[in-house]
Amino acid sequence: QVQLVESGGGLVQAGGSLRLSCATSGRTFSTSAMGWFRRAPGKEREFVAAISRTGSTTLYAASVKGRFTISRDNAKNTVYLQMSSLKPEDTAVYYCAGRSSSIVTMIDRTYDYWGQGTQVTVSS
């Protein structure tokens, strides 16, 4: 069974930075595409970023491109989301997700495994 555990969320002022981590268990991590999604209060879950199994391909939502960076360490079975120049509209619960496939997508229903989420709050 694959488990994903996010950490690194918290309260930060606008313009600040945070790094989220997602530690995974299970032997499929190195073959899996991984992604980050978020759900803001009163809104639908939305795509944030995704990364291929080797890290050679990354995708970003337009709203975070240039501010967020997704990366992974296959030796540590961990994926990261470095968030900079944070804005109040980035406030949300952030979820790590993994696919059984190595193909990167932005579509949440194509992801098979999900973490419990970590809260990120950006104050103005």
Side-chain angles (χ1 to χ4, degrees):
Q1 185 175 357
V2 177
Q3 291 187 323
L4 284 67
V5 180
E6 302 96 336
S7 62
L11 174 64
V12 63
Q13 288 189 329
S17 300
L18 281 175
R19 188 176 82 155
L20 304 184
S21 299
C22 174
T24 73
S25 63
R27 53 187 174 86
T28 64
F29 179 80
S30 63
T31 63
S32 302
M34 300 293 295
W36 287 95
F37 292 79
R38 67 187 182 187
R39 188 192 301 271
K43 294 188 177 181
E44 298 285 323
R45 183 169 60 192
E46 65 175 358
F47 170 76
V48 175
I51 188 167
S52 63
R53 65 179 183 86
T54 64
S56 60
T57 300
T58 55
L59 300 175
Y60 294 94
S63 60
V64 307
K65 197 168 187 177
R67 300 188 298 120
F68 290 11
T69 301
I70 188 171
S71 61
R72 65 190 295 162
D73 185 337
N74 286 348
K76 296 182 178 179
N77 286 355
T78 301
V79 62
Y80 305 96
L81 185 69
Q82 177 67 47
M83 306 185 294
S84 302
S85 301
L86 282 161
K87 305 174 181 179
E89 51 264 43
D90 294 317
T91 295
V93 177
Y94 282 72
Y95 298 91
C96 175
R99 303 194 70 206
S100 299
S101 167
S102 61
I103 299 173
V104 184
T105 83
M106 299 182 177
I107 305 171
D108 59 357
R109 66 177 181 272
T110 65
Y111 285 77
D112 305 292
Y113 312 106
W114 292 85
Q116 294 299 308
T118 185
Q119 176 70 47
V120 171
T121 303
V122 184
S123 63
S124 56

